[in-house]
């Protein structure tokens, strides 16, 4: 791995090296390179904004953020983000990392597909989502110079068919647990790949809830109490 790219380097620590080895052995080339790029986009963005952040915790969160999409979780019924967050927490716990730091990494991984919240949380949490958004959909693309973009892509190639590949990776990691996509944009993936997929409609859920079906609870029930 290049020691330094555009003022950013992967932490040179025992934990970071073991994180790299673990994810390298577990994920496909597409997901591994994507995860490292997410770290570089997030760290470069953090430097540009003069944000103080823990590079080791950010790197760990970035590397684990899509682990839940891998074959190992083919039987899981949790959100894939939670699988990755739990794995990161277990890894850090086994290395004696403090609980508050473990919680930070857990939140960074678990919330990276939840828009509108991470950017108001701790820097590491915000930067994981920012880095993922840059790499997947180009969010903030023009905030990076051509030299920065080229340096990262040269070191960790973004395949010509990356867009199709990451959609497939999302689909393969979530198609066995479609109910977990509710409330995120992940249901867009299943709807795009599977014409039989039915989204959960929150309005239908409200209007057909037990409160609507149980006629004992309502205006009369309120007065009875």
């Amino acid at each position: 791995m290049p020691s330094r790219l555009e003022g950013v380097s992967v932490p040179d620590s025992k934990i970071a090296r073991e994180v790299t080895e673990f994810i390298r052995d577990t994920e496909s080339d597409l997901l591994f390179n994507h995860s490292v790029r997410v770290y570089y986009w997030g760290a470069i963005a953090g430097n540009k904004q003069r944000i103080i952040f823990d590079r080791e915790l950010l790197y760990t969160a970035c590397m684990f953020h899509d682990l839940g999409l891998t074959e190992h979780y083919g039987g899981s019924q949790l959100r894939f983000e939670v699988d990755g967050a739990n794995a990161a927490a277990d890894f850090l716990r086994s290395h004696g990392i403090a609980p508050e730091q473990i919680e930070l990494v857990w939140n960074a991984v678990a919330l990276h597909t939840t828009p509108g919240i991470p950017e108001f949380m701790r820097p590491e949490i915000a930067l994981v989502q920012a880095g993922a958004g840059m790499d997947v959909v180009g969010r903030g693309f023009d905030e990076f110079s051509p030299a920065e973009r080229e340096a990262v892509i040269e070191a960790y190639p973004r395949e010509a068919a990356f867009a199709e590949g990451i959609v497939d990776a999302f689909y393969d990691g979530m198609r066995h647990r479609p109910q977990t996509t509710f409330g995120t944009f992940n249901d867009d993936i299943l709807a795009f790949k599977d014409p039989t997929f039915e989204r959960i409609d929150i309005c239908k859920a409200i209007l057909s809830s037990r409160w609507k079906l149980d006629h004992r609870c309502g205006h009369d029930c309120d007065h009875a109490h």
Side-chain angles (χ1 to χ4, degrees):
M1 298 176 72
S3 60
R4 197 165 186 85
L5 289 175
E6 300 303 310
V8 171
S9 62
V10 170
D12 183 18
S13 67
K14 182 177 184 293
I15 287 180
R17 289 191 293 272
E18 291 186 12
V19 166
T20 301
E21 182 179 359
F22 177 76
I23 299 299
R24 173 70 281 182
D25 291 343
T26 307
E27 292 188 346
S28 64
D29 289 345
L30 182 142
L31 286 179
F32 176 81
N33 285 333
H34 162 62
S35 296
V36 183
R37 291 195 306 269
V38 167
Y39 167 73
Y40 275 102
W41 302 135
I44 292 171
N47 286 347
K48 287 175 179 289
Q49 299 170 42
R50 300 183 182 278
I51 296 174
I52 297 174
F53 59 92
D54 186 306
R55 294 189 305 127
E56 189 173 77
L57 296 182
L58 176 62
Y59 181 70
T60 301
C62 289
M63 296 306 288
F64 274 91
H65 86 284
D66 277 345
L67 185 69
L69 296 174
T70 60
E71 292 181 2
H72 179 75
Y73 298 97
S76 174
Q77 292 302 304
L78 299 176
R79 279 178 55 167
F80 85 86
E81 305 94 329
V82 172
D83 282 327
N86 288 343
D90 289 342
F91 177 90
L92 293 174
R93 197 174 293 114
S94 72
H95 286 72
I97 301 302
E100 60 269 20
Q101 293 179 314
I102 294 174
E103 182 180 14
L104 187 156
V105 171
W106 194 95
N107 285 329
V109 177
L111 292 172
H112 81 271
T113 62
T114 303
I117 295 176
E119 59 261 43
F120 300 105
M121 300 179 73
R122 289 280 299 275
E124 296 82 0
I125 300 172
L127 293 175
V128 172
Q129 190 195 48
M134 166 60 179
D135 203 60
V136 176
V137 299
R139 190 171 66 242
F141 187 88
D142 293 329
E143 296 171 12
F144 297 85
S145 71
E148 290 168 335
R149 295 194 300 264
E150 290 168 11
V152 174
I153 296 301
E154 182 178 355
Y156 300 97
R158 191 178 190 277
E159 298 88 339
F162 173 79
E164 293 79 8
I166 196 68
V167 168
D168 288 343
F170 277 128
Y171 178 64
D172 290 340
M174 296 187 293
R175 61 182 173 177
H176 63 282
R177 40 182 164 181
Q179 76 286 352
T180 67
T181 66
F182 174 63
T184 73
F185 49 70
N186 292 328
D187 58 358
D188 291 338
I189 300 287
L190 298 191
F192 178 77
K193 297 286 290 185
D194 180 4
T196 67
F197 172 68
E198 294 185 9
R199 300 174 190 264
I200 297 175
D201 186 319
I202 189 60
C203 292
K204 289 181 180 179
I206 293 171
L207 295 173
S208 63
S209 74
R210 285 296 301 275
W211 293 110
K212 293 289 290 185
L213 297 176
D214 191 339
H215 298 297
R216 293 172 301 172
C217 293
H219 184 75
D220 293 337
C221 185
D222 291 337
H223 278 288
H225 292 287

